[in-house]
Amino acid sequence: MVCIAVYKNTRLRRTTSLYIIALAVSDLMSAVFVMPFALGVLITGEWVYGPVICFFHSFFGGFVVYVSPVTMGLTAFDRYMRICKSEQQYKKIFSPWKSRAWMACAWFFIACYSAVPKLAGLLDYAFIPGFATCTVGHLDQTGKVVHFAIVLCFFLLTPLLTTIFSYIKVAKMIRQHNVAMSSTIHRGATGSSINVQELKLSKSLFVVVFAFMICWIPFWVIVVVKRFHVVEKMPRNIELLTRFFIYLSNTINPFIYAGMNPIFKSEFKKMFCSERRFFNRINPQHSESNTAATKRSTRTAAL
């Protein structure tokens, strides 16, 4: 829905929309390549899909887990540069082609990190019953420590700290805008201005990032505690919370876009209305019955 909205509405085709689309694509990948197999495991109680599907499930599961925080960090830094810096400074780093290059490089690096160690025999993919998924299986303790050091440093803490720093600065700028009660922020020395739509987009992305942090920080705490045996035995319900937090994060983003951004909200309404009209065209009897029921309820209310 997010991708279709950006495609149909030219006002949404801005640099920041690239990162919103990337988040939507990562959510879609999780919904298509990860969630269905996890659901099957929860129903059957075991992995019944074979080693090849386990490889692809582990790859996409790890890729989504790694790429989402990195994309969030790039999104937050984009907002910081757009709101808090001049137009010239922003375009030096986040011009349209540079933004695509940043995103392509980040996704390519993460895809390589997810696939190459397995193909090189440095780690394995295995089914973890507690997580109801296939994921990374470490060959030794040293490999496990190195793997989690890289993942936590580059795919969690760095994006998280970047996000916190960026949105503290953005929130301060938005607060100044609200106090001034102005539709534009003017910075005398730079001569640049930020319109109200940019501020609204920043607010909606701030909510996305806040919800993201609520979901992903507990996820990583549970994973680290489980993998390094910090507790002797972890309850199965707590282990399954890791899946719940990821899938919740993947699910709520479109609702946040619709609730916080008027343009996205308008496009989503248009899509739902067009689908309703199409359904009524192919089912005219259903449409007529709904119309008749509406008229009857109107007459009853009038009486």
Side-chain angles (χ1 to χ4, degrees):
M1 289 177 63
V2 172
C3 298
I4 295 173
V6 173
Y7 173 77
K8 295 178 70 174
N9 193 319
T10 56
R11 289 187 296 169
L12 292 173
R13 297 177 195 172
R14 61 188 72 187
T15 302
T16 305
S17 296
L18 171 68
Y19 300 103
I20 296 177
I21 291 172
L23 290 171
V25 170
S26 68
D27 293 341
L28 182 62
M29 290 174 62
S30 178
V32 173
F33 298 113
V34 181
M35 292 184 190
F37 298 103
L39 178 62
V41 170
L42 292 175
I43 293 173
T44 62
E46 58 182 345
W47 184 264
V48 297
Y49 306 106
V52 175
I53 300 299
C54 184
F55 172 84
F56 285 102
H57 185 257
S58 299
F59 171 79
F60 283 108
F63 181 79
V64 170
V65 167
Y66 304 153
V67 84
S68 294
V70 173
T71 305
M72 278 290 180
L74 284 172
T75 305
F77 189 64
D78 171 270
R79 287 293 84 197
Y80 163 71
M81 293 298 297
R82 184 70 186 93
I83 298 298
C84 301
K85 300 297 182 179
S86 69
E87 186 78 13
Q88 292 76 16
Q89 289 174 307
Y90 174 74
K91 289 186 176 180
K92 282 182 180 179
I93 300 177
F94 289 106
S95 64
W97 74 268
K98 286 182 180 178
S99 296
R100 295 187 187 97
W102 285 118
M103 186 59 62
C105 289
W107 281 48
F108 179 75
F109 174 77
I110 294 169
C112 290
Y113 183 81
S114 299
V116 171
K118 163 62 179 175
L119 298 175
L122 300 177
L123 52 79
D124 196 10
Y125 287 152
F127 173 60
I128 308 296
F131 294 155
T133 186
C134 278
T135 186
V136 173
H138 302 95
L139 302 179
D140 53 49
Q141 187 67 18
T142 302
K144 181 192 294 187
V145 172
V146 172
H147 169 73
F148 275 97
I150 294 173
V151 168
L152 293 177
C153 178
F154 292 103
F155 303 149
L156 178 65
L157 293 179
T158 299
L160 182 62
L161 294 176
T162 301
T163 299
I164 292 173
F165 167 81
S166 298
Y167 275 106
I168 287 176
K169 296 293 186 179
V170 170
K172 181 179 179 181
M173 191 64 70
I174 292 176
R175 195 159 52 243
Q176 292 176 359
H177 171 271
N178 292 336
V179 170
M181 296 297 292
S182 171
S183 62
T184 312
I185 297 178
H186 296 280
R187 292 181 292 274
T190 63
S192 68
S193 62
I194 307 300
N195 59 43
V196 173
Q197 187 57 44
E198 291 287 352
L199 293 174
K200 288 181 178 179
L201 179 60
S202 298
K203 291 178 182 179
S204 65
L205 289 174
F206 176 79
V207 176
V208 171
V209 170
F210 181 73
F212 181 89
M213 291 169 61
I214 290 177
C215 292
W216 284 76
I217 291 178
F219 163 81
W220 278 111
V221 170
I222 295 172
V223 168
V224 171
V225 169
K226 165 72 176 177
R227 288 304 190 96
F228 287 93
H229 307 288
V230 177
V231 296
E232 184 175 346
K233 183 173 178 59
M234 181 175 290
R236 178 77 190 284
N237 292 340
I238 300 298
E239 292 178 337
L240 289 177
L241 276 178
T242 59
R243 300 299 101 190
F244 170 79
F245 282 127
I246 290 179
Y247 302 154
L248 178 63
S249 177
N250 298 149
T251 302
I252 62 178
N253 286 346
F255 295 98
I256 296 176
Y257 299 143
M260 294 291 297
N261 191 295
I263 303 180
F264 272 110
K265 185 188 296 185
S266 174
E267 285 301 318
F268 290 163
K269 285 181 179 179
K270 289 179 183 178
M271 281 187 276
F272 283 123
C273 290
S274 62
E275 289 177 4
R276 188 182 221 174
R277 287 193 296 268
F278 175 76
F279 180 77
N280 288 338
R281 282 199 300 269
I282 63 175
N283 295 274
Q285 293 180 349
H286 179 77
S287 177
E288 291 173 2
S289 64
N290 284 343
T291 302
T294 302
K295 290 180 179 179
R296 285 196 299 270
S297 62
T298 303
R299 286 197 299 266
T300 302
L303 293 175

